[in-house]
Amino acid sequence: MSSTEIFDALGVRLVAGRPFRDDGSALREVVVSEAVARNAFGGVDVVGRTVAIQRGRSPAVPSTVVGIAADTPTVTPLRASAGWIYTPPTTTDASRV
């Protein structure tokens, strides 16, 4: 399944940039939600910027923002989501921040 098909299956629309490369070179690429772009970067254009992604106790890995995804509804009405950081399916599924 291509990264475009994955975003389509999740019902996530990209509003800027591109999905992950499908040639296996996307291990250090991320797509962030509009909320992450707004909250973490003040709404500036983040495509092309490098961010440090840390999972659990693993060391942070520098990754390039290649796209911005439209915000999606939160899972719970009690607390708004701070956003999503999507990583290539070869590394892990979408991560909530």
Side-chain angles (χ1 to χ4, degrees):
M1 180 178 278
S2 74
S3 62
T4 301
E5 293 170 325
I6 291 170
F7 283 107
D8 288 344
L10 292 172
V12 175
R13 179 178 54 90
L14 292 182
V15 296
R18 62 171 175 78
F20 309 115
R21 291 188 180 128
D22 292 323
D23 62 4
S25 66
L27 293 177
R28 293 196 175 189
E29 293 180 342
V30 295
V31 171
V32 300
S33 67
E34 292 173 303
V36 169
R38 185 174 50 254
N39 296 331
F41 298 97
V44 300
D45 184 13
V46 298
V47 174
R49 294 187 81 169
T50 300
V51 296
I53 303 296
Q54 184 174 8
R55 292 181 189 88
R57 295 180 186 201
S58 300
V61 175
S63 300
T64 302
V65 177
V66 296
I68 300 174
D71 285 334
T72 57
T74 58
V75 176
T76 173
L78 301 177
R79 182 170 84 68
S81 171
W84 292 87
I85 298 175
Y86 300 91
T87 58
T90 54
T91 56
T92 186
D93 292 330
S95 301
R96 185 177 208 130
V97 292

